[in-house]
DNA sequence: CATGAGCGT
C-alpha cells in the first residue's frame, strides 16, 4: 500500500520579527557601554545640584557634560494645627519599627521621562491655511506681529487679542476690484494683499475709536507649586472677572513648571482686586505672590 | 529667586 508521503515542508519564511522584539540599532551604543556612569552631585546647602554625564558624539569622541541647576526653595505654608498635632502621634503598624523621621513611603530614584504631546491643531484651521496663498507668506522670514482685531503692533497675535470676544474683526482680506488695465486698484498692492483695519473700506462704520491702548492688565503669579497648571490658575482667578490669558512658564527642556505664571485680565479693576485678594494666599501648600507684571522683555 | 510661547494673519 502506497503511502503518499509529502516531502519536507518548504523552508519556513524567516519569521517576521514583531516590532516589540526588534533590536534597537542605535549607533554608538556599544561604545556607550564603556562610558563612566552619570553622576549626580548635590544639591548642596545652597540648593546647587550638578549632573555629570558622558556620551559619544558624532565624531566618536567622548564628551563630558556638566549641568548645574538650582533646586527651588519655596516658602511653605504654615502647617495646619491639626497637621502639627498629628506629628506627635505614636507610630503604629509597620511604622512602629521605623526610626524616628524615616518614612514608609518609598522614594523612587528612577527617572521617568514624559513626552508631552503637542496640542493638536484643529483640522479646520489646517485646511484653511493650506489653501490660503497668504499663509505661505513670511515663511522663513521676519514677520511683523500685528493684531487684526485691535490693530496693535508687536504685542500679541490676533488669537491672543484681549478684545477678540468684544470687537468683531472685519474681513481681513479685501479683494480690490481690478481696474480696466487689469491691475489692482491700489498701486503696487497685489490683489488679496493684507489691508490693515484702519485702511479698510467701511472702517469708520464700526467706529474708528477701537479701544487701542491696553497693557493687557498683566498679573504675575510666583511661588506656584510644581504641579499648578494653567487650568488651575484660571479657576483661581476667574472669580475676579474675565481673563484674556493664563500662562504658566514651563522649563523648555523638562516641561516642568518654573513656578511662576501670568494672568491677564480684560478689566484692570478686576486685576487689582485679584492682586489684593490673592497675594499671600495659601494655594496648594505654598504662599502665592501676586502682583502687577512688568512689561514683557522685548 | 523668579518677568511668557507661538501654527503665524
Amino acid at each position: 500500500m502506497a503511502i503518499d508521503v509529502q516531502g519536507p515542508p518548504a523552508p519556513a519564511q524567516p519569521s517576521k520579527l514583531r516590532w516589540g522584539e526588534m533590536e534597537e540599532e542605535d549607533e554608538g551604543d556599544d561604545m556607550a557601554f564603556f562610558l563612566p556612569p552619570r553622576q549626580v552631585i548635590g544639591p548642596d546647602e545652597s540648593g546647587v545640584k550638578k549632573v555629570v554625564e558622558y556620551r559619544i558624539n558624532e565624531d566618536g569622541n567622548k564628551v563630558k557634560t556638566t549641568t548645574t541647576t538650582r533646586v527651588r526653595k519655596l516658602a511653605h505654608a504654615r502647617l495646619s494645627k491639626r497637621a502639627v498635632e498629628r506629628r506627635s502621634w505614636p507610630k503604629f503598624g509597620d511604622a512602629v519599627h521605623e526610626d524616628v523621621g524615616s518614612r514608609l513611603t518609598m522614594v523612587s530614584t528612577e527617572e521617568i521621562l514624559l513626552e508631552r504631546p503637542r496640542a493638536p491643531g484643529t483640522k479646520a484651521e489646517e485646511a484653511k491655511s493650506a489653501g490660503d496663498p497668504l499663509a505661505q507668506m513670511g515663511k522663513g522670514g521676519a514677520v511683523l506681529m500685528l493684531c487684526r482685531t485691535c490693530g496693535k503692533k508687536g504685542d500679541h497675535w490676533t488669537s491672543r487679542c484681549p478684545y477678540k470676544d468684544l470687537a468683531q474683526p472685519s474681513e481681513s482680506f479685501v479683494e480690490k476690484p481690478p481696474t480696466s488695465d487689469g491691475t489692482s486698484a491700489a498701486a503696487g498692492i497685489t490683489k488679496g494683499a493684507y489691508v490693515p483695519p484702519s485702511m479698510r473700506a467701511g472702517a469708520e462704520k464700526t467706529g474708528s475709536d477701537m479701544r487701542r491702548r491696553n497693557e493687557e492688565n498683566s498679573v504675575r503669579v510666583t511661588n506656584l507649586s510644581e504641579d499648578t497648571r494653567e487650568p488651575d490658575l484660571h479657576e483661581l482667578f476667574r472669580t475676579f472677572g474675565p481673563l484674556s490669558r493664563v500662562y504658566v512658564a514651563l522649563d523648555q527642556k523638562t516641561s516642568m513648571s518654573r513656578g511662576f505664571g501670568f494672568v491677564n485680565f480684560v478689566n484692570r479693576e478686576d486685576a487689582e482686586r485679584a492682586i489684593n485678594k490673592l497675594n499671600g494666599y495659601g494655594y496648594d501648600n505654598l504662599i502665592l505672590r501676586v502682583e502687577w507684571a512688568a512689561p514683557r522683555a522685548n
Side-chain angles (χ1 to χ4, degrees):
Chain A
M1 191 189 204
I3 296 168
D4 189 12
V5 176
Q6 293 190 337
Q13 293 254 333
S15 67
K16 275 188 195 148
L17 283 171
R18 283 183 281 186
W19 75 241
E21 299 162 343
M22 296 222 275
E23 276 180 66
E24 301 280 339
E25 278 185 88
D26 271 346
E27 290 115 80
D29 260 13
D30 44 339
M31 297 287 289
F33 182 77
F34 300 105
L35 289 171
R38 195 181 111 100
Q39 280 178 270
V40 180
I41 305 155
D44 62 14
E45 331 74 45
S46 48
V48 175
K49 178 181 152 189
K50 278 185 183 161
V51 178
V52 185
E53 287 165 305
Y54 301 86
R55 65 184 172 83
I56 303 291
N57 71 6
E58 310 83 22
D59 308 325
N61 296 317
K62 190 165 106 179
V63 179
K64 176 183 175 186
T65 317
T66 308
T67 317
T68 306
T69 48
R70 192 181 200 99
V71 173
R72 301 204 300 130
K73 247 196 267 166
L74 302 165
H76 280 266
R78 196 191 299 260
L79 285 170
S80 71
K81 258 202 338 216
R82 281 161 49 89
V84 172
E85 194 186 304
R86 285 198 294 274
R87 294 200 158 180
S88 61
W89 286 2
K91 290 187 185 297
F92 58 90
D94 290 348
V96 169
H97 310 294
E98 298 288 334
D99 295 332
V100 178
S102 75
R103 42 206 305 175
L104 284 176
T105 308
M106 297 305 290
V107 179
S108 170
T109 55
E110 182 188 3
E111 284 193 45
I112 297 167
L113 302 172
L114 296 178
E115 220 170 279
R116 304 205 163 210
R118 304 180 82 35
T122 65
K123 285 271 188 280
E125 272 170 2
E126 282 164 17
K128 201 174 87 192
S129 60
D132 185 352
L134 284 152
Q136 314 303 318
M137 286 176 56
K139 277 192 179 162
V143 207
L144 176 68
M145 179 163 56
L146 173 67
C147 174
R148 273 190 292 157
T149 301
C150 71
K152 195 168 171 180
K153 267 192 259 180
D155 187 64
H156 54 260
W157 297 101
T158 307
S159 60
R160 295 296 196 186
C161 181
Y163 302 125
K164 68 176 170 186
D165 299 325
L166 306 176
Q168 285 297 327
S170 42
E171 203 40 46
S172 310
F173 302 97
V174 179
E175 299 243 346
K176 301 271 182 189
T179 54
S180 52
D181 63 341
T183 62
S184 172
I189 310 273
T190 48
K191 128 182 160 156
Y194 174 72
V195 179
S198 57
M199 290 175 65
R200 284 174 207 151
E204 292 84 354
K205 190 176 61 192
T206 50
S208 50
D209 66 306
M210 186 120 64
R211 291 139 302 184
R212 200 148 287 240
R213 282 293 97 184
N214 182 295
E215 295 305 0
E216 278 205 58
N217 307 314
S218 196
V219 170
R220 184 180 65 146
V221 189
T222 53
N223 209 28
L224 291 171
S225 74
E226 296 275 322
D227 36 39
T228 302
R229 295 292 123 107
E230 278 155 15
D232 306 318
L233 270 198
H234 188 268
E235 193 72 354
L236 185 63
F237 281 84
R238 59 176 297 185
T239 58
F240 297 92
L243 311 177
S244 52
R245 190 176 69 127
V246 176
Y247 175 80
V248 170
L250 301 179
D251 184 289
Q252 292 264 217
K253 246 193 153 90
T254 65
S255 289
M256 294 279 285
S257 168
R258 290 172 65 193
F260 68 93
F262 297 90
V263 175
N264 292 43
F265 282 85
V266 174
N267 307 303
R268 186 180 177 84
E269 319 81 68
D270 295 337
E272 203 147 351
R273 288 191 305 117
I275 290 170
N276 292 334
K277 276 277 205 304
L278 257 29
N279 187 29
Y281 179 83
Y283 183 72
D284 199 12
N285 84 346
L286 296 179
I287 302 287
L288 288 190
R289 253 170 86 83
V290 183
E291 56 210 323
W292 288 112
R296 261 212 209 230
N298 209 32

